[in-house]
Amino acid sequence: MKTYIVGNWKLNFTVGEASIYLHKLLKTLPNYRDLEVVVAPSALALQPLSLQVDRHKIKLAAQNAFYRDTGAYTGEISFAQLRGMVDFAIIGHSERRYVLREDDKMIAKKVAAAIRNHITPILCIGEIESERAFGETKDVIRDQLIGGLSEVSDDELSKVIIAYEPVWAISSAKSAKLATPDEVGEVVNLIRKTLMDTYGAKASENVPVLFGGSVNASNAGAYLTVPGVNGLLMGASSLILNEFVDIIEIAKRVRA
Ligand code: 13P
């Protein structure tokens, strides 16, 4: 299976800054086989960057989109409009769940809309600190996974990527803590088991599972060697070009 290194730029970089970053990254990176490097700029930058990017080296992801293809939805951008421009879309990120109040039902519709428009959804799931403290992690993960995939058929499961991002480990959290590789492994196993129980072994074995939450060049290697982890989803460290490149190099070494 490929290894995915995904940078989520969140609400950072102007279009100009995003373009300069991409230019430098394209110049630095060779053409990796078995390594998928993906960046998720703001929606505004996607169109110009899609003309600039060399998709053999780097792919683009949307950070979000709306679940209807067209219609009276002021302010929204659809997966249909992004079709052909991006290869991936981050869906159900905790910042959208908790700041913008997206629920599993809406997230499921977005996952379906992405697949319908030939865009690979990166479905983010993860528990908040109090849910972990109360021993609810398993239930939250199962609910978000099954809920987010509720409109995905057995045949479509191979078109989905799951990202486990414990909300308490995301660098923007007030008192972000690092997840230990053991904690990550435990939840990744649960994700794989839930997929297997729901979709069967064959359909679920090729679903990539990524980890995200304060990943940087010092801990990327440890997370990438957790069994069942197929890549990383990064926020803060993806904004620093040198660090992002270092992490890509680490991934290449560790997964070789
Ligand atoms: P950080 O890498 O800044 O913790 O962000 C993780 C994340 O939310 C990526 O989607």
Side-chain angles (χ1 to χ4, degrees):
M1 201 186 295
K2 278 187 178 173
T3 300
Y4 296 82
I5 299 297
V6 186
N8 175 7
W9 293 351
K10 306 189 180 183
L11 187 48
N12 295 289
F13 294 155
T14 62
V15 175
E17 287 164 347
S19 172
I20 291 169
Y21 183 117
L22 184 65
H23 174 76
K24 290 183 182 164
L25 187 60
L26 283 166
K27 256 186 23 191
T28 314
L29 292 190
N31 202 340
Y32 290 118
R33 272 217 274 127
D34 299 330
L35 198 62
E36 198 76 279
V37 179
V38 182
V39 293
S42 81
L44 209 54
L46 286 174
Q47 202 274 339
L49 264 52
S50 73
L51 302 177
Q52 180 187 345
V53 78
D54 171 356
R55 286 188 189 198
H56 297 295
K57 287 187 179 179
I58 299 168
K59 300 221 169 39
L60 294 178
Q63 294 177 18
N64 173 49
F66 191 59
Y67 56 84
R68 290 273 159 74
D69 287 350
T70 57
Y73 303 102
T74 302
E76 292 297 328
I77 293 171
S78 70
F79 290 96
Q81 289 172 320
L82 292 171
R83 187 175 179 152
M85 213 183 281
V86 302
D87 289 285
F88 299 90
I90 297 170
I91 299 178
H93 192 280
S94 60
E95 285 143 24
R96 298 208 62 85
R97 289 179 189 266
Y98 299 107
V99 183
L100 292 141
R101 301 271 154 227
E102 287 191 10
D103 59 14
D104 287 326
K105 230 170 134 185
M106 180 187 273
I107 290 165
K109 288 184 188 168
K110 291 187 174 192
V111 169
I115 294 173
R116 176 168 82 236
N117 286 292
H118 304 283
I119 294 169
T120 302
I122 302 174
L123 171 63
C124 298
I125 58 175
E127 79 286 3
I128 60 173
E129 192 171 18
S130 61
E131 289 165 342
R132 176 161 282 261
F134 288 121
E136 295 165 0
T137 302
K138 280 187 180 168
D139 290 338
V140 172
I141 294 297
R142 262 198 225 111
D143 287 353
Q144 290 184 354
L145 187 61
I146 293 171
L149 295 176
S150 60
E151 298 193 20
V152 174
S153 68
D154 291 12
D155 291 346
E156 289 169 336
L157 190 67
S158 61
K159 297 174 182 158
V160 172
I161 295 175
I162 307 296
Y164 170 51
E165 294 206 310
V167 183
W168 47 270
I170 294 178
S171 67
S172 54
K174 261 200 205 109
S175 51
K177 288 197 269 302
L178 279 185
T180 66
D182 281 351
E183 286 169 332
V184 175
E186 217 173 285
V187 176
V188 168
N189 279 341
L190 173 71
I191 291 170
R192 294 212 171 274
K193 185 173 180 325
T194 307
L195 288 175
M196 224 158 78
D197 293 347
T198 315
Y199 288 93
K202 196 164 180 295
S204 53
E205 70 186 355
N206 291 324
V207 176
V209 179
L210 318 185
F211 171 71
S214 299
V215 175
N216 56 38
S218 324
N219 59 29
Y223 290 130
L224 279 169
T225 44
V226 173
V229 169
N230 305 110
L232 303 169
L233 174 56
M234 283 150 296
S237 58
S238 74
L239 299 175
I240 306 160
L241 180 69
N242 289 345
E243 181 145 24
F244 192 56
V245 171
D246 284 350
I247 293 168
I248 294 166
E249 290 292 335
I250 291 165
K252 192 176 171 287
R253 271 205 310 276
V254 169
R255 314 280 301 186

